[in-house]
Amino acid sequence: MQGSLDAGELGVTLVHEHVRFRDEAVAAEWPDRYDERAELDAALDAVGAARERGVQTIVDPTAMFGGRDVGFMKSVAERTGVRIVACTGIYSYDYLPHYFANRDADVMAEHFVHDIEQGIQGTPIRAAFLKCAADAAGVTENVEKIHRAVARASVQCGTPIMAHSMPAVATGPRQLEILEEEGVDLARVQLAHCGDTDDVAYIEGLLAKGVYVGLDRYGLEMFLPSEKRNATAAELLRRGHAEQMMISQDFCATIDWFPPEAGELLVSHGAIRNWSMTLVFDEVLPALREQGVLDDAAFQTIFVENPRRWLSGG
Ligand SMILES: [Zn+2]
């Protein structure tokens, strides 16, 4: 964890993983429901395993409503020796608290700029990118407001953006349209979760806008099985798109969305399979190498050069 990011030193990078994901309001109101020690152990295990596969940096897009906590990230980074890159922004599919509902996008942007220029949560750790989201509800009025605020902070500070998208309802084109209207350089935008579809034409439509696409939910079979994710990745590589591809798992070392028994059911029903911070190294990359679509140069492009270029702009 660093106050300022020297993107030249990122090395092998996973661009989308969460060391912890939980609702900050529930966690603040009922802390006894959470076992901070167990959360830290799970994060250390996950990040430690990634480090053993050669990972030097993890980009963690946990924003507001995901329980962003740079103190926690810092503990994980210090104990594992893996750099963790933090963001600012709001992870909402529609809801906004009254605080932001009654303030405009420019004021919202000021909050993000503070995290980028001054530091997050009273620390000197600065946000290296901005996060926004659109999901099943589509680009609602509130989602649009968050996108405009993120865009304005990006334009003001030159900070890159990661936008969670949902291919099943084709949110991507409208998200990019808003960012473009605000003057964002789309070469600094990573559209997350494009790998949830195997519609290569849809993905190529987004690539044509100049963005990076995230094939970043390996292991979450409920959105798309790994086999189909691999076929999509292979086709994109064959078509020469390596320089705009990001591969990751969106793994959450712990997540409070489901009670433990529901989490077990997701695994036993195959909705989640081998979801971890190492799945891409253990299964995905060997499969892509076997197909002859991924060599050392392409690996370097996707896991070292693309994250560096996206974060640094150069
Ligand atoms: Zn995520």
Side-chain angles (χ1 to χ4, degrees):
M1 204 85 191
Q2 293 187 324
S4 67
L5 181 75
D6 182 351
E9 295 173 4
L10 296 180
V12 174
T13 301
L14 282 171
V15 289
H16 196 137
E17 311 296 337
H18 302 272
V19 293
R20 180 172 70 183
F21 206 100
R22 64 185 203 180
D23 187 280
E24 63 238 34
V26 180
E29 298 296 340
W30 295 282
D32 293 353
R33 289 273 175 172
Y34 296 82
D35 182 343
E36 188 115 2
R37 182 70 234 178
E39 289 170 337
L40 181 61
D41 285 345
L44 295 176
D45 282 353
V47 174
R51 185 193 53 216
E52 279 169 27
R53 307 302 192 282
V55 172
Q56 291 155 283
T57 300
I58 285 174
V59 176
D60 184 332
T62 309
M64 180 180 176
F65 294 136
R68 183 184 62 158
D69 179 344
V70 290
F72 185 83
M73 291 180 187
K74 188 165 185 268
S75 311
V76 177
E78 281 173 356
R79 287 168 206 223
T80 57
V82 173
R83 180 185 287 97
I84 299 178
V85 180
C87 74
T88 185
I90 300 178
Y91 176 76
S92 173
Y93 300 165
D94 185 52
Y95 170 76
L96 276 180
H98 297 303
Y99 179 94
F100 280 124
N102 297 322
R103 289 169 171 84
D104 66 20
D106 285 325
V107 174
M108 190 186 279
E110 284 171 14
H111 291 69
F112 303 153
V113 169
H114 174 276
D115 286 357
I116 293 164
E117 292 184 342
Q118 311 296 317
I120 299 167
Q121 297 165 343
T123 73
I125 298 162
R126 288 185 278 158
F129 66 106
L130 290 137
K131 179 81 186 288
C132 54
D135 202 83
V139 181
T140 67
E141 226 172 279
N142 283 340
V143 164
E144 177 170 343
K145 182 174 175 177
I146 298 167
H147 277 64
R148 292 197 185 280
V150 158
R152 288 171 199 177
S154 171
V155 169
Q156 188 182 328
C157 304
T159 306
I161 296 171
M162 181 193 293
H164 165 117
S165 72
M166 189 173 199
V169 291
T171 58
R174 177 62 186 144
Q175 290 176 276
L176 298 187
E177 200 173 72
I178 294 166
L179 299 179
E180 211 168 17
E181 277 171 19
E182 295 287 341
V184 169
D185 175 5
L186 293 187
R188 302 298 304 286
V189 174
Q190 178 180 171
L191 198 59
H193 312 329
C194 293
D196 286 358
T197 182
D198 57 358
D199 182 346
V200 173
Y202 171 80
I203 298 174
E204 281 197 315
L206 300 166
L207 287 166
K209 303 293 284 181
V211 299
Y212 295 95
V213 294
L215 312 179
D216 50 17
R217 275 177 158 176
Y218 271 99
L220 296 176
E221 306 268 306
M222 70 263 244
F223 298 118
L224 197 71
S226 282
E227 209 171 294
K228 287 189 172 177
R229 292 180 187 277
N230 279 348
T232 309
E235 187 55 27
L236 292 173
L237 285 166
R238 267 183 225 109
R239 296 187 187 193
H241 296 304
E243 286 184 8
Q244 287 172 271
M245 292 165 64
M246 303 284 205
I247 294 180
S248 212
Q249 296 129 150
D250 199 5
F251 183 67
C252 303
T254 53
I255 181 165
D256 69 350
W257 284 14
F258 305 100
E261 61 277 15
E264 285 156 25
L265 277 177
L266 287 171
V267 172
S268 65
H269 284 100
I272 291 172
R273 195 183 63 79
N274 293 346
W275 193 39
S276 73
M277 268 188 213
T278 60
L279 175 61
V280 299
F281 298 97
D282 299 341
E283 287 188 23
V284 176
L285 299 182
L288 294 175
R289 283 183 190 276
E290 180 127 323
Q291 289 185 57
V293 290
L294 186 95
D295 58 14
D296 291 346
F299 173 84
Q300 192 74 9
T301 298
I302 294 169
F303 288 90
V304 179
E305 286 306 312
N306 292 352
R308 186 195 58 74
R309 200 182 324 106
W310 169 62
L311 283 170
S312 70

